[in-house]
């Protein structure tokens, strides 16, 4: 198919694509074949056998491109490492991506099997399925590939592999050493990663870290991200009677854990969304130069509200990018007894809230969790780290069982870092568009161990479309983003660093 497309484009005169674009487009055809093959290997982060099968595929594909490869054993599932032969005197980039994926519920997908890629074209407000044979005529960059991990994060791996093919076809001598580390537990918070980075420190040594994960800015422009928020979690459970009780018999008498929990949660924020817990935002200052960079990102607060269908944003920051510079306190799940058609006239036995706390560099996850627990205690609750016993239930009026999650730290590289300037200039020259520079993105990538242990600057260079439905049913990647990613890797890996 690759040769056919190249010949076809040449025969018709190629009005829209330069010779370089013809080469990229034909390489995209190969990338689609390879991505379909890769996606067909399930990669549920909770299934070790899935991860083993993906590791075998990665060894073969990177090996075919001349990489030396290795599985790096950890306390959990193995990491995958690959490197081209290293030349002294050249700077080294360490590229981080991940190959594990979120679990799937096939019943929620608009295709029979989320691991069998489906080709779709835009139609009205949705998409229509089209046969892959139509790619034989030409490749439409607006068409999309639907399947689990098509965007998060298998397509960037395929983009890299096909950029290496294109570099070899062009006989490019690389001015940079390339090391690749692929995570197998990113969707499980990468718990083994900090110790693994320490263990394999010498192998992973590099001048800078390039993370290829997540979507470009909503504008579609080339994007470089200098940091991301970290995350930790808390699970709060309040208690009423030992078993659900008839609300006619015991309403107004047995304490209701739902009301206790809702009153507690409401005490943590004011009416405009700001956390009221003393010290939660300590240490964060934004000078005028930083604010100008934040304002340079072409976001529209009104458009975000329109798309998400809410009238007024919370007031943690005065605009969207400023809000991302502060730690968040979010209720990600809330439950008690039964609801909807299953609702029952009872006083529940317990109520539970799942919280996530997004972290910034200035905030320490363990410190923020302690602030939250101290606040809970000040509201008159006895805080436990276990389910309450009968003795404890009889001793204290209000009890909260607090279960703490692990901490993934935030990271942030200074905006004037020379490697950041190199990436920005390279993308600007490659695509002829202003590069959007984001100081801190809202999501979390487990990169802090590399930054802290290797002492190197880190940058996120996203490549997939913003509306990719990652983690959700009908995850997809736009074919044009495959071309974008191949060109991005090609440019970064073939451009000398001043």
């Amino acid at each position: 198919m690759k040769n056919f497309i190249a010949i076809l484009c040449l025969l018709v005169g190629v009005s829209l694509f330069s010779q370089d674009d013809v080469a990229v487009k034909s390489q995209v055809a190969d990338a689609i074949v390879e991505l379909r093959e890769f996606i067909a290997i399930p990669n549920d982060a909770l299934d070790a056998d899935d991860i083993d099968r993906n590791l075998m595929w990665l060894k073969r594909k990177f090996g075919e491109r001349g990489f030396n490869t290795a599985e790096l054993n950890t306390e959990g599932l193995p990491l995958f490492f690959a490197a081209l032969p290293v030349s002294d005197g050249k700077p080294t980039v360490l590229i981080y991506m991940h190959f594990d994926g979120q679990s799937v519920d096939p019943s929620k997908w608009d295709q029979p099997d989320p691991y069998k890629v489906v080709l779709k074209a835009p139609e009205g407000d949705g998409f229509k399925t089209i046969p892959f044979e139509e790619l034989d005529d030409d490749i439409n960059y607006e068409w999309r590939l639907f399947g689990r991990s098509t965007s998060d994060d298998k397509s960037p791996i395929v983009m890299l592999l096909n950029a290496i093919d294109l570099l070899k076809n062009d006989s490019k001598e690389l001015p940079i050493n390339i090391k690749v580390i692929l995570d197998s537990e990113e969707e499980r918070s990468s718990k083994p990663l900090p110790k693994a980075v320490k263990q394999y420190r010498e192998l992973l040594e590099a001048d800078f870290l390039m993370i290829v994960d997540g979507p470009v800015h909503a504008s579609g422009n080339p994007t470089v991200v200098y940091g991301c928020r970290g995350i930790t979690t808390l699970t709060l459970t309040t208690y009423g009677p030992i078993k659900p009780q008839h609300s006619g018999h015991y309403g107004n008498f047995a304490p209701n854990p739902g009301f206790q929990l809702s009153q507690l949660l409401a005490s943590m924020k004011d009416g405009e969304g700001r956390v009221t817990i003393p010290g939660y935002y300590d240490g964060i200052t934004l000078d005028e130069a930083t604010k100008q960079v934040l304002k340079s990102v072409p976001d529209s607060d009104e458009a975000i509200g329109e798309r998400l269908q809410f009238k007024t944003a919370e007031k943690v920051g005065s605009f969207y990018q400023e809000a991302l510079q502060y730690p968040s306190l979010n209720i990600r799940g809330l439950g008690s007894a039964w609801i909807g058609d299953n609702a029952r006239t009872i006083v529940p036995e317990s109520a539970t809230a799942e919280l996530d706390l997004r972290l910034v560099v200035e905030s320490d996850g363990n410190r923020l969790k302690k602030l939250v627990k101290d606040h809970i205690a000040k509201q008159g609750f006895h805080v436990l780290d276990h389910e309450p016993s009968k003795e404890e239930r009889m001793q204290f009026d209000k009890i909260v069982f607090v279960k703490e999650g692990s901490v993934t730290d935030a990271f942030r590289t200074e905006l004037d870092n020379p490697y950041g300037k190199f990436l920005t200039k390279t993308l600007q020259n490659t695509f002829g568009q202003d590069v959007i520079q984001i100081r801190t993105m809202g999501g979390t990538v487990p990169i802090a161990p590399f930054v802290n242990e290797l002492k190197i600057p880190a940058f996120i260079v996203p490549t997939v479309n913003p509306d990719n439905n990652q983690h959700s049913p009908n995850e997809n990647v736009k074919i044009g983003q495959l071309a974008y990613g191949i060109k991005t890797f090609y440019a970064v890996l073939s451009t000398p660093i001043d």
Side-chain angles (χ1 to χ4, degrees), residues 263-332:
Q263 291 161 0
L264 174 59
L265 295 172
S267 73
M268 296 182 183
K269 280 192 172 186
D270 65 20
E272 295 185 315
R274 288 178 287 255
V275 175
T276 57
I277 299 171
Y280 203 83
Y281 299 131
D282 280 2
I284 300 167
T285 57
L286 301 173
D287 59 26
E288 194 55 39
T290 299
K291 286 188 176 182
Q292 289 305 312
V293 172
L294 298 177
K295 290 177 180 177
S296 73
V297 179
D299 292 323
S300 165
D301 290 357
E302 293 76 16
I304 294 172
E306 175 74 20
R307 177 165 55 85
L308 301 183
Q309 298 187 27
F310 62 79
K311 183 176 184 295
T312 304
E314 295 185 334
K315 304 300 182 185
V316 178
S318 58
F319 57 97
Y320 175 64
Q321 287 296 326
E322 186 176 16
L324 298 181
Q325 311 309 307
Y326 293 86
S328 70
L329 179 60
N330 177 59
I331 301 173
R332 62 177 184 164

Side-chain angles (χ1 to χ4, degrees), residues 37 149 172 265 324 364:
E37 178 186 324
S149 297
K172 287 282 186 179
L265 295 172
L324 298 181
D364 174 81

Side-chain angles (χ1 to χ4, degrees), residues 25-42:
K25 203 167 191 182
S26 63
Q27 194 68 53
V28 168
D30 286 353
I32 291 171
V33 173
E34 204 157 39
L35 183 59
R36 292 176 68 189
E37 178 186 324
F38 197 11
I39 298 299
I41 308 171

Side-chain angles (χ1 to χ4, degrees), residues 234-240 257-258 260-261 264-265 334-336 349-355 376 381-388 393 398-403:
L234 291 170
T235 302
L236 313 182
T237 302
T238 54
Y239 298 89
Q260 289 185 2
L261 183 60
L264 174 59
L265 295 172
L334 192 61
S336 182
E349 84 279 14
S350 66
T352 298
E354 297 284 357
L355 308 183
I376 293 171
F381 287 85
H382 183 67
V383 179
L384 298 176
D385 61 1
H386 57 271
E387 293 276 357
R393 293 170 69 99
K398 295 191 292 186
I399 293 173
V400 174
F401 167 29
V402 179
K403 183 179 179 181

Side-chain angles (χ1 to χ4, degrees), residues 128-365:
K128 66 175 181 179
T129 300
I130 54 179
F132 275 97
E133 288 74 19
E134 293 200 21
L135 289 174
D136 289 339
D137 297 326
D138 197 3
I139 293 179
N140 187 323
Y141 278 1
E142 296 303 311
W143 292 353
R144 301 191 185 206
L145 303 170
F146 283 74
R148 174 54 85 224
S149 297
T150 47
S151 60
D152 184 26
D153 191 35
K154 283 189 172 182
S155 66
I157 297 171
V158 171
M159 294 170 193
L160 171 61
L161 292 171
N162 281 269
I164 295 295
D165 291 343
L166 205 54
L167 288 163
K168 289 184 176 180
N169 291 341
D170 291 345
S171 301
K172 287 282 186 179
E173 183 176 345
L174 302 184
I176 189 169
N177 294 316
I178 304 169
K179 295 181 179 180
V180 180
I181 187 73
L182 303 183
D183 198 343
S184 60
E185 295 192 58
E186 195 271 351
E187 302 295 2
R188 299 174 62 186
S189 301
S190 300
K191 291 180 182 178
L193 198 57
K195 287 186 178 179
V197 174
K198 287 181 181 290
Q199 181 180 353
Y200 299 107
R201 188 185 192 287
E202 291 186 8
L203 188 67
L204 299 173
E205 282 184 348
D207 292 285
F208 69 103
L209 177 66
M210 177 175 161
I211 305 108
V212 189
D213 192 6
V216 298
H217 183 262
S219 65
N221 277 26
T223 306
V224 176
V225 182
Y226 290 76
C228 70
R229 294 198 288 187
I231 190 171
T232 189
T233 61
L234 291 170
T235 302
L236 313 182
T237 302
T238 54
Y239 298 89
I242 189 64
K243 293 181 180 179
Q245 299 297 321
H246 192 295
S247 62
H249 297 325
Y250 293 101
N252 289 348
F253 189 77
N256 190 301
F259 277 107
Q260 289 185 2
L261 183 60
S262 61
Q263 291 161 0
L264 174 59
L265 295 172
S267 73
M268 296 182 183
K269 280 192 172 186
D270 65 20
E272 295 185 315
R274 288 178 287 255
V275 175
T276 57
I277 299 171
Y280 203 83
Y281 299 131
D282 280 2
I284 300 167
T285 57
L286 301 173
D287 59 26
E288 194 55 39
T290 299
K291 286 188 176 182
Q292 289 305 312
V293 172
L294 298 177
K295 290 177 180 177
S296 73
V297 179
D299 292 323
S300 165
D301 290 357
E302 293 76 16
I304 294 172
E306 175 74 20
R307 177 165 55 85
L308 301 183
Q309 298 187 27
F310 62 79
K311 183 176 184 295
T312 304
E314 295 185 334
K315 304 300 182 185
V316 178
S318 58
F319 57 97
Y320 175 64
Q321 287 296 326
E322 186 176 16
L324 298 181
Q325 311 309 307
Y326 293 86
S328 70
L329 179 60
N330 177 59
I331 301 173
R332 62 177 184 164
L334 192 61
S336 182
W338 298 268
I339 61 172
D341 293 338
N342 295 318
R344 305 176 187 182
T345 51
I346 53 95
V347 178
E349 84 279 14
S350 66
T352 298
E354 297 284 357
L355 308 183
D356 64 59
L357 293 67
R358 294 285 178 171
L359 313 172
V360 295
V361 169
E362 293 86 353
S363 60
D364 174 81

